[in-house]
């Protein structure tokens, strides 16, 4: 197909096309200096005639346009002027050969050609030549314009000869059928003797002669020929050439009605015809050279070639209103083209609208051209061409295939039209046999247009996506397209939507602590608090802020995300894990299922750092609907985080402790957070001893090198005297360093040795400390727990259910609370005096419920414990 020239106007139909080009190496400055002088000779008058010739110069012209010269003669190159530098006689043969090669490009249509040589001197220059002009330099070349005039005269002679040859009705000779390039293959094997074929040939030839007459300055003749051509071509439904004949008729009428020109060029064209004064023949555009040509030599058989005054009449010219109608009719006939030509037509329309700034209108016609590529009437639809044209429509609809452009704020463009276009891209890529491309476009539609999809559309799109990904999973790899375009990956940052990211500290049992002696004093390392009213609002700085705790190499670390599901159905997220940088990190993927349109839902992602250093949590990865996504925190809008950078320290030993004593159900004191505690219980009597065996097992991967042991009594009254615990570390430390998987034992001796030589308020103090003969526990697991022994039966079981009955407790002396006679005798007065009731039987004392008795060194102390 030809390359459209959007700068053409109606007046260009009457011009002769001359191409001016350099041969060899010519400086741009020198070339355009001569080119401008050549272009100044653009309009000439024919001697002894009212005809005017117009020349149109071009320094570049596509050779494929030359093939349409029979269809419209003003598109045919009839003259070639070349400019070259040659400074040596030995270079002349090669230079002249290049000139002939240049002529061969347009050789089929050229009327004449010229070569202007600059810089050559000597014998070669003195040889007379009609097609070559020699000049010593670019300053000494005063005859350039004169030689151009001679050149145009030769063009006119050839043009007039062809016009006369084609216009003469040669009886008995067959008229050749003129064709456009794509028609030549369609007329092979046709019946050339049919009436229909002959009329087609006559109509096309009449149109061609009309073009020649218009170029030769015979406006009225061209109008007559165009009218006759229109009638002939209309009778045989030759729509393409009929449209061209109507276009020629309109152009000739425009030239007649608007002699000043319509192309917006500087200076006004003046047409010299029968309807205008004869003196107007001498008018031309400012700066143009005028040449008088004698057409008398072309007169044959007594026929005057200038017949415009004889056969041309103004009634053959269209009115301004008719011009518009005929132009529309010509366009309608041009539209009766093949599908390929329709695609070209819509593409040209798109380019025209693009040039005038109508981008959305341009995109519309480009999309129509894309749909025309796969019209049902086409035997082999061009899905690749359709896809390429659809991609070119994206800018016109404010649509980009980069998902980052949709995360910057307000949505641009019409979402409904954009979704329609994306669906067409998906379908076209599928018909092309490229499922990866279909998955990428469908993922882009779901990610960027999620807010504009209805609930049913969300279900339909996700179902289609799952069907595509079952054959070709979605990846994060860019997809390269022909033409240099690359489709970026589309991460599903909205499936699910993440609102908060928090790095979690290790569990208390795994948190690292700075090494210090257990027996030394704790020194506060807290820094002074400094208030600043300046608040940083840079989200990137907040995310990169280093967190004040550490992770440990080889230990499982956790990151908590708050997510929610925007879909109207349950969302299954597979292979969800962390994206990190800075250290080698093993992510342990998780799978989750979020309810339809759920609120914020906590999700914990875990992993194990394999090396030490500073690790940054950059985001997370998911697999949703068969599409793998890498979602970076920097690309998530509205996300909150307290920091994403933490230090990973080398692996530490891990110690597991077990004891020979049972665990206690009560905690002695609340944990401070820096200590790991466990509670065991033992029940001993004063003077009794027992061993506590502690097993130390190294369950980590690093050897345990150091062990320190200390003890403390958890009491604030300090009324207990004596050592309860004792140990020896020599045997245990002999097993150190304790290698991974090894077990060491540590024995602690517990011996109860209480000193009751205190004042009378000792019972109150002991009770406040948690020591009681009625059985309350002590505060320390290593401290003696003194409990009374309860016999299985009460003394008076028949009366135990009566109101006011006593629930008796048997109390025996210091060990069993069996009172000797002397002690019992000294206790009686006290008991009778202090308590409402007591009983004595076989050396045992029975007290009313709510009372207790303590015997210390033979003295009896009583206390009402209610």
């Amino acid at each position: 197909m030809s390359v459209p020239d959007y700068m053409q106007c109606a007046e260009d139909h009457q011009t002769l096309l001359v191409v001016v080009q350099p041969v060899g190496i010519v400086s741009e400055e020198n070339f355009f200096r001569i080119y401008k002088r050549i272009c100044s000779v653009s309009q000439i008058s024919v001697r002894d005639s009212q005809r005017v010739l117009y020349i149109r110069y071009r320094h570049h012209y596509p050779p494929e346009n030359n093939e349409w010269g029979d269809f419209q003669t003003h598109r045919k190159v009839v003259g070639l002027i070349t400019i070259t530098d040659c400074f040596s006689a030995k270079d002349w043969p090669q230079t002249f050969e290049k000139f002939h090669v240049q002529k061969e490009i347009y050789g089929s249509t050229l009327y004449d050609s010229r070569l202007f040589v600059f810089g050559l001197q000597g014998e070669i220059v003195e040889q007379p030549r009609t097609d070559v002009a020699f000049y010593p330099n670019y300053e000494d070349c005063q005859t350039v314009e004169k030689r151009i005039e001679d050149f145009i005269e030769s063009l006119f002679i050839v043009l007039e000869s062809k016009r006369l040859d084609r216009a003469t009705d040669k009886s008995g000779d067959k008229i050749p059928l003129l064709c456009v390039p794509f028609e030549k293959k369609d007329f092979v094997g046709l019946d050339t003797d049919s009436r229909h074929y002959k009329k087609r040939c006559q109509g096309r030839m009449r149109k061609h002669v009309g073009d020649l007459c218009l170029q030769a300055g015979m406006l009225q003749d061209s109008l007559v020929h165009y009218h006759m051509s229109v009638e002939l071509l209309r009778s045989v439904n030759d729509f393409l050439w009929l449209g061209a004949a109507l276009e020629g008729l309109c152009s000739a009428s425009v030239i007649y009605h608007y002699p000043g020109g319509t192309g917006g060029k500087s200076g006004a064209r003046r047409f010299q015809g029968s309807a205008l004064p004869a003196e107007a023949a001498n008018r031309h555009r400012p700066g143009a050279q005028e040449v008088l040509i004698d057409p008398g030599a072309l007169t044959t058989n007594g026929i005057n070639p200038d017949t415009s005054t004889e056969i041309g009449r103004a009634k053959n010219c269209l009115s301004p209103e008719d011009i518009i109608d005929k132009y529309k009719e010509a366009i309608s006939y041009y539209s009766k083209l093949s599908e390929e030509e329709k695609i070209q037509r819509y593409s040209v329309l798109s380019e025209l609208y693009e040039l005038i700034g109508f981008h959305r209108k341009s995109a519309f016609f480009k999309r129509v051209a894309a749909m025309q590529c796969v019209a049902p009437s086409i035997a082999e639809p061009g899905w690749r061409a359709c896809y390429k044209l659809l991609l070119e429509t994206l800018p016109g609809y404010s649509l980009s295939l980069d998902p980052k452009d949709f995360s910057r704020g307000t949505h641009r463009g019409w979402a409904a039209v954009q979704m329609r276009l994306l669906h067409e891209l998906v379908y076209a890529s599928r018909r092309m046999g490229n499922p990866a491309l279909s998955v990428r476009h469908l993922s882009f539609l779901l990610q960027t247009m999620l807010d504009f999809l209805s609930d049913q559309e969300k279900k339909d799109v996700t179902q289609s996506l799952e069907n595509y990904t079952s054959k070709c999973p979605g990846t994060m790899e860019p997809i390269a397209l022909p033409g240099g375009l690359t489709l970026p990956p589309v991460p599903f940052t909205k499936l699910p939507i993440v609102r908060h990211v928090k790095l979690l500290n290790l569990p208390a049992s795994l948190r690292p602590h700075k090494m210090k002696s257990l027996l030394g004093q704790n020194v506060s390392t807290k820094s002074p608090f400094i208030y600043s009213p300046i608040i940083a609002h840079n989200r990137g700085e907040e995310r990169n802020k280093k967190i004040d705790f550490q992770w440990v190499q080889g230990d499982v670390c956790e990151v908590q995300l708050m997510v929610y599901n925007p879909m109207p159905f349950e969302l299954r997220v597979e292979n969800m894990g962390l994206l990190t940088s800075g250290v080698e990190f093993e992510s342990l993927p998780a799978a989750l299922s979020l309810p339809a349109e759920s609120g914020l839902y906590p999700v914990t992602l875990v992993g194990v750092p394999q090396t030490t250093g500073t690790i940054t949590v950059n985001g997370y990865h998911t697999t949703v609907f068969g599409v793998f996504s890498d979602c970076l925190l920097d690309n998530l809008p509205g996300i909150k985080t307290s920091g994403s950078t933490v230090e990973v320290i080398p692996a530490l030993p891990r110690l597991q402790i077990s004891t020979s004593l049972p665990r206690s159900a009560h905690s002695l004191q609340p944990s401070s957070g820096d200590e790991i505690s466990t509670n065991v219980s033992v029940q001993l009597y004063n003077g009794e001893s027992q061993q506590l065996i502690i097993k130390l097992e190294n369950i980590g991967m690093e050897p345990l090198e150091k062990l320190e042991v200390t003890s403390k009594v958890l009491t604030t009254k300090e009324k207990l005297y004596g050592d309860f615990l004792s140990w020896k570390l020599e045997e245990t430390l002999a097993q150190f360093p304790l290698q991974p998987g090894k077990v060491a034992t540590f024995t602690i001796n517990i011996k109860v040795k209480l000193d009751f030589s205190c004042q009378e308020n000792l019972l109150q103090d002991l009770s406040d400390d948690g020591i009681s003969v009625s059985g309350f526990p002590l505060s320390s697991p290593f401290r003696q727990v003194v409990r009374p022994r309860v016999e299985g039966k009460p003394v008076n079981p028949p009366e135990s259910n009566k109101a006011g009955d006593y629930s008796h407790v048997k109390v025996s002396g210091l060990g069993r609370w069996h009172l000797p006679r002397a002690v019992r005798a000294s206790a009686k007065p006290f008991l009778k005096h202090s308590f409402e009731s007591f009983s004595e039987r076989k050396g045992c004392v029975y007290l009313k419920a709510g009372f207790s008795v303590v015997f210390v060194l033979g003295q009896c102390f009583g206390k009402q414990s209610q």
Side-chain angles (χ1 to χ4, degrees):
M1 298 296 290
S2 63
V3 179
D5 183 2
Y6 300 123
M7 303 305 295
Q8 283 193 15
C9 55
E11 292 87 343
D12 288 334
H13 282 255
Q14 67 178 345
T15 61
L16 297 176
L17 179 59
V18 176
V19 173
V20 183
Q21 292 181 335
V23 172
I25 301 176
V26 180
S27 69
E28 184 176 348
E29 179 183 359
N30 291 334
F31 171 77
F32 281 102
R33 180 192 302 180
I34 303 300
Y35 179 75
K36 290 179 180 179
R37 295 180 61 182
I38 293 173
C39 292
S40 66
V41 188
S42 59
Q43 178 180 335
I44 63 173
S45 298
V46 180
R47 184 180 297 124
D48 299 331
S49 173
Q50 297 178 346
R51 286 189 278 171
V52 179
L53 269 68
Y54 296 96
I55 310 300
R56 187 171 88 255
Y57 296 98
R58 294 287 184 270
H59 58 78
H60 174 74
Y61 192 73
E64 54 267 26
N65 283 18
N66 210 36
E67 299 177 358
W68 291 74
D70 290 339
F71 183 69
Q72 291 176 321
T73 56
H74 73 282
R75 301 166 70 175
K76 174 170 55 178
V77 178
V78 298
L80 175 65
I81 300 174
T82 57
I83 301 172
T84 187
D85 289 338
C86 185
F87 305 99
S88 170
K90 65 178 181 179
D91 295 334
W92 168 243
Q94 183 179 3
T95 300
F96 194 69
E97 179 63 25
K98 291 180 180 180
F99 170 59
H100 281 284
V101 172
Q102 197 78 0
K103 287 198 301 183
E104 291 178 359
I105 298 176
Y106 308 102
S108 61
T109 61
L110 286 180
Y111 294 172
D112 203 355
S113 59
R114 292 290 185 271
L115 172 63
F116 288 0
V117 182
F118 293 87
L120 187 63
Q121 298 179 359
E123 297 180 358
I124 299 176
V125 176
E126 297 174 357
Q127 298 176 2
R129 304 180 66 98
T130 58
D131 59 343
V132 181
F134 296 97
Y135 297 99
N137 50 60
Y138 286 93
E139 287 76 21
D140 188 10
C141 54
Q142 291 81 6
T143 62
V144 168
E145 289 80 3
K146 181 61 175 62
R147 288 186 178 272
I148 295 299
E149 294 172 3
D150 296 339
F151 173 66
I152 295 175
E153 183 177 354
S154 68
L155 295 181
F156 174 76
I157 294 173
V158 177
L159 171 65
E160 192 70 3
S161 298
K162 289 182 176 292
R163 184 188 68 81
L164 291 174
D165 181 65
R166 298 291 175 91
T168 304
D169 185 9
K170 300 176 181 179
S171 59
D173 293 344
K174 287 187 177 181
I175 301 176
L177 179 65
L178 302 177
C179 300
V180 296
F182 66 85
E183 285 183 325
K184 295 177 181 179
K185 63 179 183 299
D186 298 332
F187 292 130
V188 177
L190 289 180
D191 184 6
T192 58
D193 296 327
S194 65
R195 184 179 178 183
H196 187 278
Y197 181 83
K198 291 181 179 179
K199 278 193 173 183
R200 185 192 296 268
C201 294
Q202 292 173 1
R204 294 189 176 188
M205 185 58 70
R206 283 288 184 181
K207 189 266 174 194
H208 181 67
V209 174
D211 289 345
L212 295 176
C213 290
L214 189 59
Q215 286 183 307
M218 304 174 66
L219 179 61
Q220 296 295 345
D221 286 37
S222 68
L223 290 170
V224 173
H225 287 295
Y226 284 139
H227 274 291
M228 296 176 65
S229 173
V230 167
E231 298 303 323
L232 288 170
L233 295 172
R234 197 190 301 275
S235 65
V236 294
N237 294 330
D238 194 353
F239 296 117
L240 178 61
W241 285 79
L242 176 57
L246 288 171
E247 183 182 357
L249 180 60
C250 293
S251 299
S253 300
V254 168
I255 294 171
Y256 180 86
H257 284 291
Y258 307 99
T262 63
K265 298 179 180 179
S266 61
R269 286 185 172 180
R270 292 288 184 266
F271 172 74
Q272 294 77 22
S274 60
L276 299 176
E279 60 270 15
N282 295 325
R283 300 176 187 174
H284 55 81
R285 289 173 294 177
Q289 298 290 331
E290 182 181 287
V291 180
L292 298 179
I293 299 175
D294 183 8
L298 300 176
T299 304
T300 58
N301 299 329
I303 300 177
N304 186 355
D306 187 1
T307 60
S308 61
T309 58
E310 301 174 4
I311 64 174
R313 289 183 291 180
K315 70 175 184 179
N316 291 325
C317 183
L318 300 175
S319 66
E321 294 77 13
D322 291 338
I323 291 174
I324 297 176
D325 294 337
K326 294 302 180 182
Y327 265 132
K328 291 181 178 180
E329 185 179 356
I331 293 173
S332 68
Y333 290 133
Y334 282 146
S335 66
K336 298 181 183 294
L337 307 173
S338 63
E339 300 299 336
E340 291 78 6
E341 292 164 335
K342 289 181 181 179
I343 296 170
Q344 180 70 11
R345 174 193 173 198
Y346 291 128
S347 298
V348 170
L349 277 174
S350 174
E351 293 176 10
L352 285 172
Y353 279 113
E354 184 71 25
L355 287 176
I356 62 177
F358 286 23
H359 303 295
R360 193 168 66 229
K361 196 73 170 178
S362 171
F364 170 79
F365 281 105
K366 188 79 71 174
R367 179 175 168 272
V368 173
M371 295 298 102
Q372 199 66 44
C373 293
V374 292
S377 57
I378 299 180
E380 296 181 0
W383 287 105
R384 293 188 179 277
C386 173
Y387 180 82
K388 180 178 180 296
L389 290 172
L390 287 176
L391 286 179
E392 295 175 1
T393 66
L394 297 178
Y397 290 116
S398 302
L399 190 59
S400 165
L401 292 181
D402 190 348
K404 294 181 180 178
D405 296 338
F406 289 81
S407 60
R408 298 173 181 172
T410 308
H411 184 92
R412 295 180 63 248
W414 294 345
V417 178
Q418 292 171 343
M419 287 190 290
R420 175 67 179 271
L421 183 59
L422 289 173
H423 276 295
E424 291 170 350
L425 285 172
V426 172
Y427 187 75
S429 57
R430 183 177 71 85
R431 294 300 299 268
M432 286 167 53
N434 194 334
L437 207 54
S438 301
V439 171
R440 180 60 51 86
H441 288 309
L442 204 54
S443 301
F444 180 85
L445 189 155
L446 187 60
Q447 168 69 18
T448 60
M449 301 294 168
L450 185 63
D451 297 336
F452 303 99
L453 294 173
S454 64
D455 289 351
Q456 185 59 43
E457 288 173 334
K458 291 177 182 177
K459 295 178 181 178
D460 295 340
V461 171
T462 53
Q463 184 176 1
S464 299
L465 183 58
E466 287 181 321
N467 292 336
Y468 284 124
T469 55
S470 63
K471 302 175 183 177
C472 180
T475 66
M476 288 294 293
E477 296 296 328
I479 298 179
L481 299 177
L485 182 65
T486 300
L487 293 183
V490 182
F492 278 160
T493 59
K494 294 184 178 180
L495 298 172
I497 298 177
V498 177
R499 284 290 180 241
H500 188 269
V501 176
K502 180 181 181 182
L503 277 64
L504 302 181
N505 199 352
L506 293 173
S509 60
L510 300 178
R511 292 176 191 172
H513 299 279
K514 291 185 178 180
M515 184 178 294
K516 58 185 179 180
S517 175
L518 295 175
L519 302 176
Q521 295 182 350
N522 294 332
V523 179
S524 175
T525 59
K526 294 182 179 179
S527 61
F529 172 74
I530 301 177
Y531 170 77
S532 173
I534 302 175
I535 301 176
H537 294 282
N538 191 320
R539 187 173 63 179
E541 293 179 359
E542 293 179 0
R543 290 181 183 168
N544 295 328
K545 184 173 60 177
K546 200 169 185 180
I547 303 176
D548 58 358
F549 57 77
Q550 293 85 29
W551 283 352
V552 178
Q553 175 188 0
D555 287 350
V556 176
C557 305
E558 299 177 332
V559 176
Q560 187 181 73
L561 281 66
M562 300 300 294
V563 305
Y564 74 90
N565 173 22
M567 304 299 282
F569 50 84
E570 184 181 27
L571 180 65
R572 298 189 305 274
V573 183
E574 302 173 353
N575 192 35
M576 190 172 189
L578 295 173
L579 297 175
T580 62
S581 62
V583 302
E584 184 180 346
F585 187 82
E586 179 187 0
S587 178
L588 305 178
L592 59 144
S593 180
L594 299 175
E597 297 178 347
S598 66
L600 287 178
Y601 190 89
V603 175
T604 301
L605 302 180
V606 300
V608 180
Q610 303 295 330
T611 57
T612 61
T614 300
I615 186 172
T616 300
V617 177
N618 300 318
Y620 59 94
H621 62 79
T622 61
T623 300
V624 181
F625 305 127
V627 178
F628 183 82
S629 302
D630 286 341
C631 305
L632 301 179
L633 299 183
D634 290 337
N635 298 334
L636 301 180
I639 190 172
K640 296 180 180 180
T641 177
S642 57
S644 59
T645 301
V646 68
E647 181 184 0
V648 179
I649 64 175
L652 298 176
R654 295 178 60 184
L655 184 64
Q656 178 174 292
I657 301 177
S658 58
T659 68
S660 58
L661 295 178
R663 284 182 174 271
S664 174
H666 303 284
S667 176
L668 299 177
Q669 63 177 2
S671 175
S672 64
D674 294 334
E675 299 177 352
I676 307 302
S677 63
T678 184
N679 300 300
V680 296
S681 62
V682 62
Q683 196 169 256
L684 298 175
Y685 296 102
N686 193 23
E688 192 174 358
S689 62
Q690 185 172 338
Q691 284 189 339
L692 170 62
I693 299 176
I694 300 177
K695 293 175 60 177
L696 307 176
E697 181 180 1
N698 188 352
I699 60 173
M701 303 300 296
E702 301 294 326
L704 183 63
E705 299 177 352
K706 186 176 182 180
L707 176 66
E708 291 186 4
V709 180
T710 187
S711 67
K712 61 180 178 179
V713 177
L714 298 181
T715 176
T716 58
K717 299 299 181 178
E718 299 182 357
K719 299 300 182 180
L720 301 180
Y721 301 96
D723 296 328
F724 290 87
L725 308 177
S726 62
W727 60 83
K728 292 183 179 180
L729 286 179
E730 289 76 9
E731 296 181 0
T732 304
L733 293 178
Q735 306 174 52
F736 279 67
L738 190 62
Q739 300 298 324
K742 299 298 182 178
V743 178
T745 58
F746 174 49
T747 303
I748 296 178
N749 297 313
I750 306 173
K751 184 175 182 181
V752 182
K753 186 179 180 182
L754 292 177
D755 186 359
F756 289 95
S757 58
C758 307
Q759 60 273 23
E760 295 184 359
N761 60 351
L762 174 62
L763 183 60
Q764 177 67 39
D765 294 336
L766 295 179
S767 188
D768 292 342
D769 281 341
I771 300 179
S772 171
V773 294
S774 59
F776 294 105
L778 296 176
S779 299
S780 171
F782 299 142
R783 187 180 291 180
Q784 178 191 19
V785 177
V786 183
R787 295 178 180 269
R789 296 196 176 183
V790 181
E791 290 189 352
K793 296 181 183 181
V795 178
N796 301 316
E799 301 179 357
S800 60
N801 295 328
K802 295 181 181 180
D805 286 350
Y806 300 112
S807 176
H808 293 90
V809 179
K810 177 181 177 183
V811 183
S812 51
L814 298 182
R816 295 181 53 85
W817 287 69
H818 183 79
L819 301 181
R821 182 180 300 274
V823 174
R824 189 167 63 250
S826 64
K828 266 184 198 179
F830 174 80
L831 295 175
K832 289 182 179 179
H833 179 269
S834 302
F835 299 101
E836 296 179 1
S837 177
F838 79 99
S839 60
E840 177 183 0
R841 182 182 177 189
K842 296 183 179 178
C844 295
V845 177
Y846 293 86
L847 302 179
K848 185 178 179 181
F851 294 90
S852 59
V853 177
V854 177
F855 292 90
V856 180
L857 300 179
Q859 297 183 6
C860 178
F861 296 89
K863 177 184 178 184
Q864 186 174 359
S865 58
Q866 291 181 341

